[in-house]
Short mmCIF file of all heavy atoms in Angstrom, two decimals:
data_model
loop_
_atom_site.label_atom_id
_atom_site.label_comp_id
_atom_site.label_asym_id
_atom_site.label_seq_id
_atom_site.Cartn_x
_atom_site.Cartn_y
_atom_site.Cartn_z
N PHE A 36 3.37 2.79 -6.13
CA PHE A 36 4.79 2.44 -6.12
C PHE A 36 5.39 2.82 -4.77
O PHE A 36 5.29 3.96 -4.33
CB PHE A 36 5.51 3.19 -7.25
CG PHE A 36 7.00 3.01 -7.26
CD1 PHE A 36 7.57 1.77 -7.43
CD2 PHE A 36 7.84 4.10 -7.09
CE1 PHE A 36 8.95 1.59 -7.43
CE2 PHE A 36 9.22 3.94 -7.09
CZ PHE A 36 9.77 2.69 -7.27
N ARG A 76 17.41 -4.44 -13.59
CA ARG A 76 16.62 -3.88 -12.50
C ARG A 76 16.07 -2.51 -12.88
O ARG A 76 14.92 -2.17 -12.56
CB ARG A 76 17.50 -3.79 -11.25
CG ARG A 76 16.77 -3.27 -10.02
CD ARG A 76 17.75 -3.12 -8.88
NE ARG A 76 17.18 -2.33 -7.80
CZ ARG A 76 16.55 -2.84 -6.77
NH1 ARG A 76 16.38 -4.13 -6.66
NH2 ARG A 76 16.06 -2.05 -5.82
N LEU A 77 16.88 -1.76 -13.59
CA LEU A 77 16.47 -0.42 -13.98
C LEU A 77 15.26 -0.46 -14.93
O LEU A 77 14.32 0.32 -14.78
CB LEU A 77 17.65 0.28 -14.67
CG LEU A 77 17.70 1.80 -14.63
CD1 LEU A 77 17.53 2.32 -13.21
CD2 LEU A 77 18.99 2.31 -15.23
N LEU A 80 12.24 -1.17 -12.93
CA LEU A 80 11.80 0.03 -12.19
C LEU A 80 11.08 1.00 -13.11
O LEU A 80 10.04 1.55 -12.74
CB LEU A 80 13.01 0.72 -11.55
CG LEU A 80 13.50 0.10 -10.25
CD1 LEU A 80 14.84 0.69 -9.86
CD2 LEU A 80 12.48 0.32 -9.13
N TYR A 81 11.60 1.19 -14.31
CA TYR A 81 10.94 2.08 -15.27
C TYR A 81 9.50 1.61 -15.51
O TYR A 81 8.56 2.41 -15.54
CB TYR A 81 11.67 2.07 -16.62
CG TYR A 81 13.00 2.79 -16.66
CD1 TYR A 81 13.99 2.40 -17.55
CD2 TYR A 81 13.28 3.86 -15.82
CE1 TYR A 81 15.22 3.05 -17.61
CE2 TYR A 81 14.51 4.51 -15.86
CZ TYR A 81 15.47 4.10 -16.76
OH TYR A 81 16.67 4.75 -16.82
N ILE A 84 7.25 2.02 -12.31
CA ILE A 84 6.94 3.44 -12.08
C ILE A 84 5.97 3.95 -13.15
O ILE A 84 5.02 4.67 -12.84
CB ILE A 84 8.25 4.26 -12.06
CG1 ILE A 84 9.04 3.94 -10.79
CG2 ILE A 84 7.97 5.77 -12.15
CD1 ILE A 84 10.43 4.50 -10.75
N ALA A 85 6.18 3.55 -14.39
CA ALA A 85 5.28 3.99 -15.46
C ALA A 85 3.86 3.50 -15.21
O ALA A 85 2.89 4.21 -15.48
CB ALA A 85 5.78 3.49 -16.80
N HIS A 92 7.41 7.72 -1.43
CA HIS A 92 8.87 7.76 -1.49
C HIS A 92 9.41 8.16 -0.13
O HIS A 92 9.04 9.20 0.41
CB HIS A 92 9.32 8.79 -2.53
CG HIS A 92 8.76 8.54 -3.90
ND1 HIS A 92 9.41 7.82 -4.86
CD2 HIS A 92 7.56 8.90 -4.45
CE1 HIS A 92 8.66 7.75 -5.95
NE2 HIS A 92 7.54 8.40 -5.72
N ASN A 109 19.56 5.08 -3.97
CA ASN A 109 18.47 4.47 -4.73
C ASN A 109 17.15 5.22 -4.57
O ASN A 109 16.42 5.43 -5.54
CB ASN A 109 18.26 3.01 -4.31
CG ASN A 109 19.32 2.09 -4.89
OD1 ASN A 109 20.02 2.48 -5.82
ND2 ASN A 109 19.45 0.91 -4.36
N MET A 110 16.83 5.61 -3.34
CA MET A 110 15.52 6.22 -3.10
C MET A 110 15.38 7.59 -3.79
O MET A 110 14.38 7.83 -4.47
CB MET A 110 15.23 6.32 -1.60
CG MET A 110 14.82 5.01 -0.96
SD MET A 110 16.16 3.82 -0.78
CE MET A 110 17.09 4.52 0.57
N PRO A 111 16.38 8.50 -3.65
CA PRO A 111 16.25 9.77 -4.38
C PRO A 111 16.23 9.56 -5.90
O PRO A 111 15.53 10.27 -6.61
CB PRO A 111 17.50 10.55 -3.96
CG PRO A 111 17.95 9.93 -2.69
CD PRO A 111 17.53 8.49 -2.75
N LEU A 112 16.98 8.56 -6.38
CA LEU A 112 17.00 8.29 -7.82
C LEU A 112 15.61 7.88 -8.30
O LEU A 112 15.11 8.37 -9.31
CB LEU A 112 18.02 7.19 -8.13
CG LEU A 112 18.12 6.78 -9.60
CD1 LEU A 112 18.73 7.89 -10.44
CD2 LEU A 112 18.94 5.50 -9.75
N GLU A 113 14.98 6.98 -7.55
CA GLU A 113 13.66 6.49 -7.96
C GLU A 113 12.59 7.58 -7.83
O GLU A 113 11.65 7.63 -8.62
CB GLU A 113 13.29 5.23 -7.16
CG GLU A 113 14.17 4.04 -7.58
CD GLU A 113 14.04 2.83 -6.67
OE1 GLU A 113 12.96 2.63 -6.08
OE2 GLU A 113 15.02 2.08 -6.54
N LEU A 114 12.75 8.46 -6.84
CA LEU A 114 11.85 9.62 -6.77
C LEU A 114 12.03 10.49 -8.01
O LEU A 114 11.06 10.99 -8.59
CB LEU A 114 12.13 10.43 -5.49
CG LEU A 114 11.41 11.79 -5.40
CD1 LEU A 114 9.90 11.62 -5.41
CD2 LEU A 114 11.84 12.55 -4.14
N GLY A 115 13.29 10.63 -8.43
CA GLY A 115 13.57 11.41 -9.64
C GLY A 115 12.91 10.81 -10.87
O GLY A 115 12.33 11.54 -11.68
N PHE A 116 12.95 9.47 -10.99
CA PHE A 116 12.26 8.81 -12.11
C PHE A 116 10.77 9.13 -12.09
O PHE A 116 10.16 9.42 -13.12
CB PHE A 116 12.42 7.29 -12.03
CG PHE A 116 13.82 6.78 -12.27
CD1 PHE A 116 14.19 5.52 -11.83
CD2 PHE A 116 14.75 7.54 -12.94
CE1 PHE A 116 15.47 5.04 -12.05
CE2 PHE A 116 16.04 7.06 -13.17
CZ PHE A 116 16.39 5.80 -12.72
N PHE A 117 10.20 9.05 -10.90
CA PHE A 117 8.75 9.24 -10.75
C PHE A 117 8.36 10.68 -11.14
O PHE A 117 7.41 10.90 -11.90
CB PHE A 117 8.34 8.95 -9.30
CG PHE A 117 6.87 8.82 -9.09
CD1 PHE A 117 6.25 7.58 -9.13
CD2 PHE A 117 6.08 9.93 -8.82
CE1 PHE A 117 4.88 7.45 -8.95
CE2 PHE A 117 4.71 9.82 -8.64
CZ PHE A 117 4.11 8.58 -8.69
N LEU A 118 9.14 11.64 -10.63
CA LEU A 118 8.83 13.04 -10.92
C LEU A 118 9.05 13.36 -12.41
O LEU A 118 8.30 14.12 -13.01
CB LEU A 118 9.69 13.96 -10.05
CG LEU A 118 9.41 13.89 -8.54
CD1 LEU A 118 10.40 14.77 -7.78
CD2 LEU A 118 7.98 14.32 -8.22
N ALA A 119 10.08 12.71 -12.99
CA ALA A 119 10.35 12.94 -14.41
C ALA A 119 9.23 12.34 -15.27
O ALA A 119 8.83 12.95 -16.27
CB ALA A 119 11.69 12.32 -14.79
N ALA A 120 8.74 11.17 -14.87
CA ALA A 120 7.63 10.55 -15.63
C ALA A 120 6.42 11.48 -15.60
O ALA A 120 5.75 11.69 -16.62
CB ALA A 120 7.29 9.19 -15.04
N LYS A 121 6.16 12.05 -14.44
CA LYS A 121 5.02 12.97 -14.30
C LYS A 121 5.23 14.24 -15.14
O LYS A 121 4.31 14.72 -15.78
CB LYS A 121 4.84 13.33 -12.82
CG LYS A 121 3.72 14.31 -12.53
CD LYS A 121 3.61 14.52 -11.03
CE LYS A 121 2.75 15.71 -10.67
NZ LYS A 121 1.36 15.57 -11.05
N GLN A 122 6.45 14.71 -15.12
CA GLN A 122 6.74 15.97 -15.81
C GLN A 122 6.78 15.81 -17.34
O GLN A 122 6.23 16.63 -18.07
CB GLN A 122 8.10 16.51 -15.32
CG GLN A 122 8.53 17.82 -15.97
CD GLN A 122 7.66 18.99 -15.55
OE1 GLN A 122 7.05 18.98 -14.49
NE2 GLN A 122 7.59 20.02 -16.39
N GLN A 128 0.42 10.07 -17.50
CA GLN A 128 1.54 10.14 -16.54
C GLN A 128 1.44 11.41 -15.70
O GLN A 128 1.88 11.44 -14.56
CB GLN A 128 2.88 10.11 -17.28
CG GLN A 128 3.19 8.78 -17.96
CD GLN A 128 3.37 7.63 -16.98
OE1 GLN A 128 3.79 7.82 -15.85
NE2 GLN A 128 3.02 6.43 -17.41
N LYS A 131 -0.04 11.38 -12.15
CA LYS A 131 0.69 10.78 -11.03
C LYS A 131 0.64 11.70 -9.80
O LYS A 131 0.70 12.92 -9.92
CB LYS A 131 2.16 10.55 -11.42
CG LYS A 131 2.42 9.28 -12.20
CD LYS A 131 3.89 9.19 -12.57
CE LYS A 131 4.41 7.80 -12.76
NZ LYS A 131 3.59 6.85 -13.45
#
Side-chain angles (χ1 to χ4, degrees):
Chain A
F36 174 61
R76 182 184 166 93
L77 206 51
L80 280 169
Y81 288 152
I84 289 170
H92 304 267
N109 283 344
M110 283 72 74
L112 179 69
E113 290 170 29
L114 171 61
F116 291 160
F117 193 93
L118 294 176
K121 178 177 167 65
Q122 179 69 24
Q128 292 295 330
K131 277 178 153 41

